[in-house]
Each structure stands twice: as structure tokens, then as C-alpha cells.
Amino acid sequence: MGGVMWRTVILLSVAIISTGCSPSRSGPPPVKSGLVFLTRDGCANSERMLANLDAALRTLNRPADYQVIDQGTLPKTDVRTGYATPTLLFNNHDLFGLPEPTPPYPEPT
């Protein structure tokens, strides 16, 4: 497995263990907690990151329960529109430690 996938496994493990939560893919946005994959139309890296996420969850013997959200469906005031894509959030925090975006949120490029 590649380094990025192992980093994802480790970060998911820490997040899940520290909160005692089981990621969930239930209900439409907004998500109050759980695992969320942010993407947008034309995001070149989403397919690979989703494959790494699914592999990481399999390695952890966790269900592939997460919500995929297209940023284009969110209101422009939603903080999640400020993240680059793809982004993986766990309980509304970037899994890789990026800070929460602050307004004004950039337009996707």
C-alpha cells in the first residue's frame, strides 16, 4: 500500500478510536458528525482518494459508511465550500489537519 493510504488508515484509526464514533452515510447534508468526502465536478483526484479511503476502511475492518458531498450542491455560505477538493472530514474536521476555512471562500478552480 502507498504512503497516502497508510496515512489515511492511521488518521482514520485515531479519529474513530478517540471519538468512539462509527462513520455514517445517513441523511442529506449538512452532516453534524461522521465521515464526509467532499468533491466537486471535474475533481481529478477524487477517484483515487475514494479508492484509498475504501482500502483504508477495509484495512480497519470498518464499513465503507461515509457521505459523499458535491460542493456544488452546498450553499455558498457553507464552510465546506471553502475546502479544496477532494477533502475528507471526520466530525466536521479535516482528517489531514487543515484548518477550517474562513470567509470569503475561494471559488473552485
Side-chain angles (χ1 to χ4, degrees), residues 21-80:
C21 293
S22 176
S24 174
R25 189 194 289 207
S26 60
V31 173
K32 299 298 183 204
S33 64
L35 194 56
V36 175
F37 184 86
L38 292 176
T39 188
R40 63 178 169 76
D41 283 342
C43 181
N45 295 314
S46 285
E47 188 175 322
R48 183 171 183 178
M49 190 164 169
L50 274 173
N52 284 338
L53 173 59
D54 288 339
L57 290 168
R58 277 193 306 277
T59 298
L60 295 169
N61 293 317
R62 304 295 292 192
D65 290 340
Y66 52 87
Q67 189 172 31
V68 176
I69 298 177
D70 182 331
Q71 281 181 328
T73 66
L74 298 172
K76 294 212 182 283
T77 57
D78 190 307
V79 69
R80 294 171 294 180

